[in-house]
Amino acid sequence: EADPAVCSHSRRAQLRLCLERLKGLVPLGTAAGRHTTLSLLTRARLHIQKLEDQERRALHQIEQLQREQRHLQRQLEKLGMERVRIDSIGSSLSSERSDSDRGES
């Protein structure tokens, strides 16, 4: 069996290492000196909430932009079909004109 004192020491060392890593990931603000574990964990929680909020806003913006893109794509397709229709009307008008030009000469 493992010695409980050794396991406890190992867990504390692991916790210290994790807290040091966390310090590197969380913006500590102006009071970047000594932080208690509680203040570090509180700052980490607030930072995570801020990141989640930013992610929600970014996803909302992506959805809006995708809707706008689909709308613009539909408009472009509609304009393309209009152009084809106008081109075909224009070509039939010009062929009618050339027919009448030939008849008059």
Side-chain angles (χ1 to χ4, degrees):
E1 267 182 54
D3 184 3
V6 173
C7 287
S8 174
H9 176 72
S10 174
R11 275 195 301 271
R12 276 197 301 273
Q14 180 67 26
L15 180 60
R16 234 184 344 270
L17 180 64
C18 290
L19 289 172
E20 282 304 313
R21 285 185 192 155
L22 188 59
K23 273 186 203 176
L25 297 172
V26 176
L28 298 175
T30 54
R34 179 119 168 90
H35 284 284
T36 65
T37 300
L38 177 61
S39 69
L40 177 61
L41 292 174
T42 301
R43 284 183 177 275
R45 181 179 54 82
L46 292 172
H47 183 62
I48 289 168
Q49 287 173 338
K50 178 182 169 186
L51 292 173
E52 288 172 341
D53 188 45
Q54 287 175 348
E55 181 183 27
R56 269 191 303 277
R57 282 196 307 267
L59 289 173
H60 179 70
Q61 187 174 15
I62 287 170
E63 288 170 6
Q64 277 184 309
L65 290 170
Q66 286 173 337
R67 278 194 300 272
E68 185 178 349
Q69 182 183 27
R70 285 191 300 269
H71 173 71
L72 291 171
Q73 190 67 41
R74 283 192 304 270
Q75 281 186 320
L76 185 61
E77 288 167 5
K78 192 187 295 185
L79 286 171
M81 291 188 323
E82 285 289 317
R83 183 174 175 206
V84 166
R85 198 168 62 81
I86 290 170
D87 286 349
S88 68
I89 290 171
S91 68
S92 42
L93 285 176
S94 68
S95 68
E96 285 175 19
R97 265 190 243 115
S98 63
D99 288 348
S100 66
D101 290 345
R102 280 194 293 269
E104 292 174 2
S105 22

